[in-house]
Amino acid sequence: MHQHYYYKTLRKTIIAFLDLFNKIKVAKYDNSGEVKDLVEVPIKFAPKQKFYHWVHSHKHEKRLPMMSAEITSIDYDPERKTGKFDNIIVKEDDGKEYYVTPAPYNVEFELKAASKYMVEMEQIASQILPFFDPLVYTTINIDELNDTWDIPIQLNSVSIDQESDISEEERRAILWTFSFTANTYISKPKGNVDLIKKVVQNVYTSEEAWDKVKNDTTTQEISGGKYDAVEY
């Protein structure tokens, strides 16, 4: 347990999640309703307090719209737990083989979006909602294990935050929160794969012999019945 290792699986899950939204664009319109510009919506990984600070500091400027994501919880998922023999076998360049046992965890994300105008928020939502039906799969590369994992990400809900503590002179910012669950894994350190050189199978020819040997694991010959040791 004290062996140092770092496969960056949680970090790579965060990056893969952010990559799903880093190409969202909104159209800016002039007074005649014509598109005058196409702006890419920036996304950051930060707590909501910092995001709200950014929004209130820049909602009169051209910085909006913008998005921010954060992790709200990480929970173990026993339903996705695999058997102890369902390990990932890793083969190194030197020919040595190792196994890893990934532990299933659900990572809860919140993606917050802010805009000055409802038409901008509608454009953001229309580039997110249709693709989560309800899952989107993303792939993370675990270079340290020479493996790739497919991570399903599910959209759970969308909520609308209403600003109420603003003055008449201030412009209201439109805030939406998208909640997601990523079914990822966090791996344990690599363990050696031992080569099985011999398998011994005991075959008993009578129930009496088996009943006696159950209580004496050191017995090699049983009176009243024989058993054969078969080696492979």
Side-chain angles (χ1 to χ4, degrees), residues 81-99:
K81 181 180 179 181
T82 58
K84 64 180 181 179
F85 297 110
D86 296 331
N87 298 319
I88 299 173
I89 304 300
V90 180
K91 189 170 184 179
E92 301 288 0
D93 295 335
D94 58 6
K96 292 183 179 180
E97 291 186 346
Y98 303 88
Y99 68 87

Side-chain angles (χ1 to χ4, degrees), residues 3-228:
Q3 175 185 349
H4 178 267
Y5 69 100
Y6 181 41
Y7 300 146
K8 308 180 184 72
T9 52
L10 182 57
R11 176 181 176 84
K12 291 177 180 180
T13 300
I14 296 172
I15 293 173
F17 177 79
L18 295 175
D19 282 345
L20 294 175
F21 312 103
N22 66 356
K23 297 296 182 182
I24 292 180
K25 297 181 179 180
V26 299
K28 297 283 189 176
Y29 297 90
D30 58 21
N31 294 333
S32 63
E34 298 293 330
V35 176
K36 64 177 182 179
D37 195 9
L38 198 60
V39 178
E40 188 170 300
V41 182
I43 182 170
K44 300 178 180 292
F45 187 75
K48 63 182 179 181
Q49 293 85 354
K50 195 166 186 177
F51 174 72
Y52 287 144
H53 172 73
W54 288 334
V55 170
H56 289 284
S57 300
H58 300 282
K59 62 184 176 182
H60 294 299
E61 302 176 11
K62 295 181 180 180
R63 188 162 184 172
L64 294 184
M66 64 183 301
M67 297 183 296
S68 179
E70 69 171 334
I71 293 177
T72 57
S73 68
I74 302 176
D75 304 299
Y76 182 75
D77 187 358
E79 295 183 359
R80 292 190 291 121
K81 181 180 179 181
T82 58
K84 64 180 181 179
F85 297 110
D86 296 331
N87 298 319
I88 299 173
I89 304 300
V90 180
K91 189 170 184 179
E92 301 288 0
D93 295 335
D94 58 6
K96 292 183 179 180
E97 291 186 346
Y98 303 88
Y99 68 87
V100 293
T101 306
Y105 278 85
N106 295 333
V107 181
E108 304 292 334
F109 287 96
E110 279 191 357
L111 175 70
K112 295 187 178 294
S115 66
K116 291 172 61 177
Y117 308 105
M118 189 62 191
V119 66
E120 296 175 348
M121 186 61 70
E122 290 174 352
Q123 292 179 67
I124 294 173
S126 66
Q127 295 175 69
I128 296 176
L129 299 181
F131 298 97
F132 289 87
D133 194 23
L135 297 173
V136 167
Y137 284 85
T138 185
T139 300
I140 62 175
N141 297 314
I142 312 299
D143 298 329
E144 296 81 2
L145 303 177
N146 297 321
D147 199 14
T148 59
W149 296 351
D150 292 328
I151 306 299
I153 298 176
Q154 176 174 324
L155 174 62
N156 301 318
S157 64
V158 182
S159 60
I160 300 174
D161 300 331
Q162 297 289 347
E163 287 189 311
S164 57
D165 53 344
I166 60 173
S167 65
E168 292 293 333
E169 293 78 16
E170 291 184 300
R171 184 185 296 273
R172 186 183 304 273
I174 299 170
L175 303 170
W176 284 24
T177 300
F178 303 80
S179 299
F180 300 87
T181 300
N183 303 133
T184 190
Y185 295 88
I186 300 177
S187 181
K188 298 176 183 177
K190 292 184 291 187
N192 293 326
V193 178
D194 295 328
L195 178 63
I196 300 176
K197 298 179 179 179
K198 182 172 68 174
V199 177
V200 178
Q201 179 180 2
N202 295 327
V203 180
Y204 299 92
T205 59
S206 70
E207 292 186 4
E208 181 184 3
W210 169 241
D211 290 338
K212 289 182 178 180
V213 81
K214 282 193 299 183
N215 298 321
D216 185 5
T217 58
T218 63
T219 302
Q220 297 299 319
E221 295 183 1
I222 306 299
S223 60
K226 293 182 178 180
Y227 71 89
D228 299 323

